[in-house]
Every structure is written in structure tokens, then in C-alpha cells.
Amino acid sequence: MDTVRYLDDDGKPLRDIPLSEEELLRGYRALRRARHFDERALVLQRQGRLGVYPPFRGQEAAQVGVTLSLEKSDWLCPSYRETAAALTFGMPLSRLILNWRADPAGWRIPEGVNMIQFYIPIATQVPQAAGLAYAEKLKGNSAVAAVFIGDGGTSEGDFHEGLNFASVFDAPLLIVVQNNGWAISVPTHKQMKVQRVALKAQGYGIPGVTVDGNDLVAVWTVARKAAARARAGEGPTLIEALTYRVAPHTSSDDPGRYRTEDEAEAWKKRDPVARMRGCLVYLGLWDDEKEKALEEELEAEFVAGVDEADQAPEPKPWEIVEQVYAEMQPDQQAAWNYLRTGGEA
């Protein structure tokens, strides 16, 4: 299968770019904002100010590009690594920090942000996203849902059940597989016989496309077309974004135990943020002065977000069951009562 690309590894356009100058600048800012958060969040984790954190360095374009193709009425269904997507979609920075502190306040999705919580179980979000997308279709809305999963998650039954449902009912769903070559320590070639995840779409009678996941222009363009197709009632699309997790799987992982530094260094030369900056410089839209101003803006935003998170009230034990459903069901109510009373009847 061909891999969709618009930029070479240095950011030079390979063909006409179907994005406006304003969109290119907005996309780069979103990439830099995501990268800045990721780098500073890892520092907070090392300081003991976050819990276990799943960094996404190297995968920013795959997440940001898809999210930029969504509208406010659409739905974002992440796995645990899509902090960049959540940030781009409208989740407040302070709320994300609280989330990775395991503070229940971080689990509350703000009004107007159509996102379900980060999923730690692998692939369970796929059938739920398919159902969510189908519900929007049944209501006569034009909203689509975008669900993210890693290449390892495609080995789970939930992935196949979700695709089958979405295919049969023409659910307006974007299934985004970030193929970074590794499911923690298991390489992709030990997970599947096919060379491309996108080929699996053929088994469900839906389009499958492989895109350079480190090329923001390519990801945004492919996702925008898939979203338009879904809104037109033509059903789901499987998008495989070829990318690489430069950082460890989580802050407690040692990638040196299963992959070589040479492999990681080779992918660093295809860095999505540097590539997009190269594109803007080539087009005469960016310079060092603008980069410095953006860095200062992002650092100020991050510091303010940390301060806001630090001022959040100490969480109460019973808050952990308050975010499961819009209204607590009998089992959550029982747990809530138990935690509120300290186990007393």
C-alpha cells in the first residue's frame, strides 16, 4: 500500500499543500503545545508531582492532525496515550495534570468537550466509540467519532468487534491506529502477518489508508477526507498512521531492554515537530523570533496550569465513583455511600 505523504523529512513540500497558511500555523502551534506539555509533564513525574505518565513524543502529528479535522460537535475517544489529542480538542491543561495525578477532578470532562475518558484497558474504547458514532447517526446528527488505538490493540477482540459493528451499520467513525512498531516490547511483525494494519480494513468492507504519521499535513488531510466521508453517510475509515514512540512506553519503562538506540535515533530525524517547522520556514511563515515568542507563551500557559492544578481541593475517597455515569447506578451509589460513611450502615 502507498503511504500518503506531503512533506519530506526536512519539511519541504513534496506536492501542493491542501491547507491554508492560517491552518499550517495553527497546526504547528498545536504540535509545539503538545510537545511542550509532554516534555514538562515528564519532568513533573520525575519530581513526584505526577503518577505514572505515558509520554507521546514522536507521535504528536498523528494525534494533532486527526483532532484538527474534528468539529466541536464530534467525539474524541482516546486510549491512555492521547494527551496531545485531548489537549488539542479542548481539555484544559490543568485538568490533564490532575488526571495524571489520579485526582478525580481530572476525570471530569468540561461541558462542551465531547470526549470520553482515557482508556487504560487495551481496545475496549473501540466498540464503545462505534456505538457512540452510531448513536449520533440515529439521532440524525452530522457528528463523527474518532477513536485512537495502538498497533498492539489491533490484536484484541474489541478492535475487531468495533470495526465489524461500525462497518455493518455505517457508523460515522474514524479508527486511528498509531502504528509505532511496538506494543510495549513486542514488535509489530510478531503481532500480525500482514505488513500494514490498513489492509485489515478489507475484511470489513471499509476503506483503509496508510499515512505518514509524522507528517502533520498528510494526517490532517487524510483525516479531514475520512470525516467528510463519514458525515456524508458513507461509514467508517481505518487510518493507519506510521509513526514511532521515541520516548518510553511509560515513565516506568526502559525501552533499551527491547529496542536499539540506533532505531530511535533514525526516527528522531523524522521528528514531526521539526518537520512542520521546516515546512513553515520553507514557505516563509516562520522564524526564530516567532519560535521564541511561542516558547515563552507555552511555558507561561504550562506554569499557570500547574498552579491551577496545585490549588485544587484535596480529593475525597467517594469522588472516585462519581464519574462513571452521568447518574450513579445502584452499585456506584452503594460504593459512594460506603465511602462517605466509612463503611458504616
Side-chain angles (χ1 to χ4, degrees), residues 235 280 284 334 343:
L280 295 184

Side-chain angles (χ1 to χ4, degrees), residues 163 166-168 175 198 200-208 229 235-238:
L163 258 67
S167 170
V168 170
I175 307 101
K200 296 187 177 187
Q202 297 177 9
Y204 303 98
I206 65 174
R229 179 178 176 277
T237 300
L238 175 60

